[in-house]
Structures are given as structure tokens and as C-alpha cells.
Amino acid sequence: MEELPIIQKTYDLIKWYVPILNRLPKDHKFILGDRMIKELYELLEGLIIVRYAKQKSIQLESLNSQLDIIRYQTRLLLDFQLIPIHRYEYAGKAINEIGMELGGWIKQQNKRPVIKN
């Protein structure tokens, strides 16, 4: 089965982001860094799970909220001066690309007729 681009983009974001988050100063690594890593992994897991689900809409909406949390956490990194602007811009671009794909997936699912058992 071919990999969905959103899953690959999320995977690539994790590969890029986790080493950066693991190098945060101790007072931020164990609060913000660990939370962000957990959110990123849960986002990837959720995308893989929803790919095979029959009813995707509710799960996709939840993943959209998770992505928004990651977006705000990334902004906190910048505001706390824990990452340089170029890394913030890169992360923001990657998160926005994932968000656009997720939004498209949600729209596609909302157009489908609801199957009742």
C-alpha cells in the first residue's frame, strides 16, 4: 500500500524535530520538549490508525486539534528563545503543510455519505 503524503510529512517532521527538542535546556526539555515529542508521536500514530478506520471524520478532527497544539507549542519555543527563527519558520512551514493535507482529508470525508449500521 502506498504511503499517504501526510503520514510521510509527519514522519519527516518527527525525524527533524525530536533531536532539536532533546537538546532543549533541562528546565524546558522535561516539560515542553517531552510534551511536544509525545504529541508528535501521537499525531503520527493517529494518522496511521485513521487511515484504516471506516469512520474517519471524528478522528481527523481530533488530530487537527492535536496539530494545533503542536503549532502553539512551537510558537512557545520561539517566544522562550529556545529555537532560532529559521528553525521556527521551517517547523511552521512543515506543520502548515500537514495541516493543509489534514484539512483536505477532513473536507473529503465530510463530503462522503454517512454509512449507518
Side-chain angles (χ1 to χ4, degrees), residues 4 47 50 56 60 101-109:
L4 293 177
L47 289 168
V50 78
K56 297 176 178 4
L60 289 171
E101 293 215 13
L102 187 54
W105 199 0
I106 291 169
K107 275 186 183 176
Q108 178 220 9
Q109 290 302 309

Side-chain angles (χ1 to χ4, degrees), residues 13-31:
L13 178 62
I14 290 169
K15 264 180 36 179
W16 176 83
Y17 222 162
V18 168
I20 293 166
L21 295 170
N22 280 330
R23 289 191 302 267
L24 290 175
K26 193 166 39 169
D27 55 336
H28 291 283
K29 185 205 175 310
F30 296 110
I31 302 292

Side-chain angles (χ1 to χ4, degrees), residues 28-102:
H28 291 283
K29 185 205 175 310
F30 296 110
I31 302 292
L32 184 56
D34 286 350
R35 282 185 184 200
M36 290 184 73
I37 290 170
K38 181 179 178 286
E39 289 288 336
L40 286 163
Y41 282 128
E42 286 179 359
L43 177 64
L44 178 62
E45 291 168 8
L47 289 168
I48 293 167
I49 290 167
V50 78
R51 176 183 189 186
Y52 299 102
K54 290 190 191 302
Q55 298 294 328
K56 297 176 178 4
S57 294
I58 294 171
Q59 292 169 320
L60 289 171
E61 293 289 346
S62 176
L63 293 174
N64 203 27
S65 298
Q66 257 183 295
L67 188 62
D68 210 29
I69 290 168
I70 294 167
R71 186 176 282 116
Y72 275 93
Q73 290 170 330
T74 298
R75 199 166 102 195
L76 281 171
L77 289 175
L78 180 69
D79 290 345
F80 288 144
Q81 300 175 346
L82 297 169
I83 58 171
I85 189 78
H86 72 279
R87 286 204 171 143
Y88 172 75
E89 289 170 348
Y90 181 88
K93 182 178 178 227
I95 292 167
N96 286 340
E97 286 177 8
I98 292 166
M100 288 180 4
E101 293 215 13
L102 187 54

